[in-house]
Amino acid sequence: MPYAHVGGDVRLFYTDDGAGDGPPLLLVHGWGADSHQWSWHLDALARRRRVIAADLRGHGYSSVPPEGNTPRRMAADLAALLDELGVDRVAAVGHSMGGQVVSILAVERPGLVERLVAVDPGYGMAPELAGMFQETVTALRSERAHEAAVELDRWCTNRRTPAVIRRWHRRRLSGMPPHVLAQAFEAMFVLPDSIGVRPASDAYLARRRCPVLALWHDPAPAAWESGLLKHPDSAVVVWEGASHRLHEERPEEFTELVLGWL
């Protein structure tokens, strides 16, 4: 069965496909989604690399613990999954919250992450947004949690986003356990050890030592992140006109970009 126990009562659903030279790819989805988010990319990536795609705790087919649904615990779960699989080096690819998760993995387990791809990642937010994020957490803890989550997701698309992608994410958000949505969002942006808002983002992300490919739809955060990257093989790419779902909107270009950089 494609499940791995990663500590306590938590087990992760994952798939493990493909083969090839170089470290395996670890694909990490965003907030309120699951590893099916990579369905647009898995076949092309697996033709060139071994590809491991997991559902984070609280998401998809993985366990839903009552507490601890945070990026730091999710990163620790992935490290345990890779240990279970006997994988000692990966190229980690994370979208949105997944970009925060793989960055934590790169900082806390630097020997495990050889290269990192951050796809419109969930960090680097301006400090003036912090108050708005607290209001979002309050809404996610209310009786209208799913309504609040779907409303938030409206900011993640634009007029160029295909309807099927909008619907895909709305359906998953509507089926998410509300406490997971609230805990994960709060841990990304509001708690004292959150790294989603500047300047906490700057201090923490500067500790990444591996090469980083950062893909953004907005040139402003892209310019900001370029100043944090330490390794000479790092790169920042901007797809203006795309939305937060840029890798799903342009899957062929995305896989070509990632494989070419790797």
Side-chain angles (χ1 to χ4, degrees), residues 17-197:
D17 299 290
D21 297 330
L25 296 181
L26 174 67
L27 306 184
V28 184
H29 63 81
W31 179 79
D34 58 44
S35 58
H36 288 83
Q37 185 181 25
W38 303 105
S39 298
W40 287 271
H41 319 92
L42 272 170
D43 288 343
L45 293 174
R47 283 195 287 269
R48 298 273 296 277
R49 293 279 186 129
R50 180 182 178 186
V51 183
I52 300 164
D55 289 353
L56 297 170
R57 63 164 60 201
H59 294 70
Y61 298 131
S62 292
S63 299
V64 183
E67 299 292 339
N69 296 286
T70 69
R72 292 181 187 274
R73 295 291 293 273
M74 294 168 183
D77 290 343
L78 293 176
L81 169 64
L82 295 173
D83 289 345
E84 178 73 16
L85 296 176
V87 175
D88 57 5
R89 300 281 281 179
V90 295
V93 182
H95 172 248
S96 191
M97 181 180 73
Q100 192 174 130
V101 171
V102 296
S103 292
I104 292 170
L105 192 63
V107 170
E108 306 300 336
R109 291 284 299 269
L112 191 55
V113 180
E114 182 172 286
R115 286 181 172 248
L116 188 155
V117 180
V119 186
D120 224 56
Y123 54 61
M125 304 302 173
E128 52 266 27
L129 294 175
M132 183 188 303
F133 290 150
Q134 182 58 69
E135 293 175 6
T136 300
V137 172
T138 299
L140 292 171
R141 294 192 184 281
S142 73
E143 294 182 356
R144 55 178 290 269
H146 290 111
E147 179 185 340
V150 170
E151 180 63 26
L152 182 64
D153 192 64
R154 288 166 58 89
W155 295 93
C156 298
T157 61
N158 63 23
R159 60 184 178 81
R160 298 183 182 181
T161 307
V164 64
I165 294 176
R166 297 173 187 267
R167 187 178 307 110
W168 191 98
H169 284 279
R170 284 199 304 268
R171 295 186 75 253
R172 275 156 178 77
L173 284 168
S174 297
M176 280 287 297
H179 75 281
V180 175
L181 292 172
Q183 289 176 21
F185 193 92
E186 183 179 45
M188 279 194 285
F189 301 116
V190 177
L191 295 181
D193 65 346
S194 299
I195 65 167
V197 179

